[in-house]
Amino acid sequence: MNAQGYRSKRWKTKKGEDRGGKPFSHSSILTILSNPLYVGKMPHFTAKKVYPGKQPAIISQEVFEAVQAKVGNYKNGLREYREYIRKETLMADKLFDDIGNPYKLTSTTKNGQKFQYYFIRKGVHIPVIQLDGFVLDTIRRADLSSVDLQADSSQITFDEVKKCLKQVICVKRGTNCRLQIMLDKRVFLDICRTYPTQAHLPINPVMPEVDEETLTVRDEFYIDNICSTRLQNGRAQNILTVRQLNESLVRGIARAWKLKKLLEKGLTTREWEKASGMNKRNFARYIHLCYLSPRIVADILEYKNPANLTLRELMNLAEGQVDFERQEKIFMGY
């Protein structure tokens, strides 16, 4: 239909704005195939009812029902895919914000590859694979010596965590996210007792909170994404610990000086865009990092920068201020 020049119905709103007239999509074709209007009936979509219509049927009831059977298979396939994704994620239906709103699953496709996200209001998209990995790592770092000397969580698997995970609360404040991970105490400890106890504590151990039925571990991470307010790049490392966040600043400054050398070679805009793999806007934001105060650069290299400072915020600082004293004052205010 699209190849032959057909387009969807064109119409105007009450405000006089044009709508429709666009190429057909899978959803628009599905709507047409599912509409009982063409068999002489009138659908009431809000009430989910169908009434006899006054218009004549242009296709038979038999053909319509045969089409619905195929459409139903398509919808069931989507339902099966959603169920599969829910089983593959660690926190489906168990991830909430601090006021009880649930995170939902959504996805995006880039270059033929599909990325899953935990999504909540105000455009917060957190990559599933990264957050699941972070939660699993936090649970594996739990120090259970004060709870049960025979229990060791460092070797617990993804599927075993799903069995004992009760709820996760993610509180987001700016780029900082705090996690509260609640586990079924009995099931969790029974699983951890099946593994040999390690002689040494894990690196950066997490101290759990324990009550009669629940074992709770807490951790935090920072969201770092320099290109967008939404985490829409599942391939980048968007969830960072304090140390990883600092390392991203160091890498950003190093990359800035590498890009500056491209400018010094006298390359054209197209040449350095191709050489750097980024557009002019991002290229310019990196270049601004070369004009940071030497004191700020020294603090970053010595791990003295504010714990919650992201590469994106550092770029905003460098782009908005050229005076070193003003830069340093804003830097210390994070």
Side-chain angles (χ1 to χ4, degrees), residues 85-140:
I85 291 301
R86 294 168 75 84
K87 290 178 182 178
E88 291 297 303
T89 58
L90 183 64
M91 294 174 287
D93 300 327
K94 295 182 180 179
L95 181 63
F96 300 86
D97 67 2
D98 52 329
I99 56 176
N101 295 317
Y103 280 77
K104 299 179 181 179
L105 284 170
T106 186
S107 64
T108 185
T109 302
K110 294 187 177 183
N111 300 324
Q113 188 175 357
K114 203 158 196 171
F115 300 106
Q116 305 293 334
Y117 300 90
Y118 292 113
F119 165 75
I120 203 167
R121 67 195 186 288
K122 298 181 182 179
V124 179
H125 290 68
I126 305 180
V128 166
I129 190 169
Q130 294 185 33
L131 188 55
D132 283 357
F134 186 84
V135 169
L136 181 59
D137 178 68
T138 298
I139 294 172
R140 285 174 173 172

Side-chain angles (χ1 to χ4, degrees), residues 54-254:
K54 295 183 178 181
Q55 78 279 12
I58 61 174
I59 60 172
S60 68
Q61 184 68 30
E62 291 76 15
V63 171
F64 183 76
E65 289 177 357
V67 170
Q68 299 320 297
K70 290 194 174 184
V71 168
N73 290 335
Y74 170 75
K75 290 183 176 178
N76 289 337
L78 285 178
R79 191 177 297 113
E80 289 172 1
Y81 174 73
R82 293 191 184 103
E83 287 300 319
Y84 165 76
I85 291 301
R86 294 168 75 84
K87 290 178 182 178
E88 291 297 303
T89 58
L90 183 64
M91 294 174 287
D93 300 327
K94 295 182 180 179
L95 181 63
F96 300 86
D97 67 2
D98 52 329
I99 56 176
N101 295 317
Y103 280 77
K104 299 179 181 179
L105 284 170
T106 186
S107 64
T108 185
T109 302
K110 294 187 177 183
N111 300 324
Q113 188 175 357
K114 203 158 196 171
F115 300 106
Q116 305 293 334
Y117 300 90
Y118 292 113
F119 165 75
I120 203 167
R121 67 195 186 288
K122 298 181 182 179
V124 179
H125 290 68
I126 305 180
V128 166
I129 190 169
Q130 294 185 33
L131 188 55
D132 283 357
F134 186 84
V135 169
L136 181 59
D137 178 68
T138 298
I139 294 172
R140 285 174 173 172
R141 290 188 289 111
D143 179 5
L144 302 179
S145 58
S146 60
V147 183
D148 189 332
L149 292 174
Q150 303 302 315
D152 173 36
S153 65
S154 63
Q155 302 174 65
I156 194 168
T157 66
F158 184 94
D159 291 333
E160 289 172 337
V161 169
K162 289 193 71 171
K163 293 178 182 178
C164 58
L165 185 64
K166 297 174 70 173
Q167 190 181 73
V168 179
I169 297 176
C170 180
V171 181
K172 183 177 180 296
R173 296 290 183 268
T175 58
N176 177 240
C177 294
R178 296 182 178 180
L179 285 178
Q180 181 178 336
I181 306 164
M182 287 165 278
L183 303 159
D184 185 297
K185 177 184 173 183
R186 182 186 62 81
V187 177
F188 177 65
L189 291 178
D190 285 347
I191 292 172
C192 293
R193 290 189 191 107
T194 62
Y195 294 106
T197 306
Q198 285 191 333
H200 304 286
L201 286 177
I203 300 174
N204 300 322
V206 179
M207 299 303 297
E209 301 169 11
V210 185
D211 59 26
E212 291 184 0
E213 298 182 352
T214 305
L215 187 145
T216 303
V217 291
R218 301 175 188 270
D219 205 352
E220 64 179 8
F221 63 88
Y222 296 90
I223 292 177
D224 186 29
N225 185 17
I226 64 171
C227 300
S228 170
T229 56
R230 300 173 67 182
L231 295 179
Q232 288 291 324
N233 187 354
R235 293 166 296 185
Q237 186 64 26
N238 302 117
I239 294 177
L240 305 175
T241 62
V242 174
R243 185 171 185 84
Q244 289 172 330
L245 195 62
N246 181 272
E247 290 170 355
S248 75
L249 301 182
V250 175
R251 286 195 301 271
I253 293 173

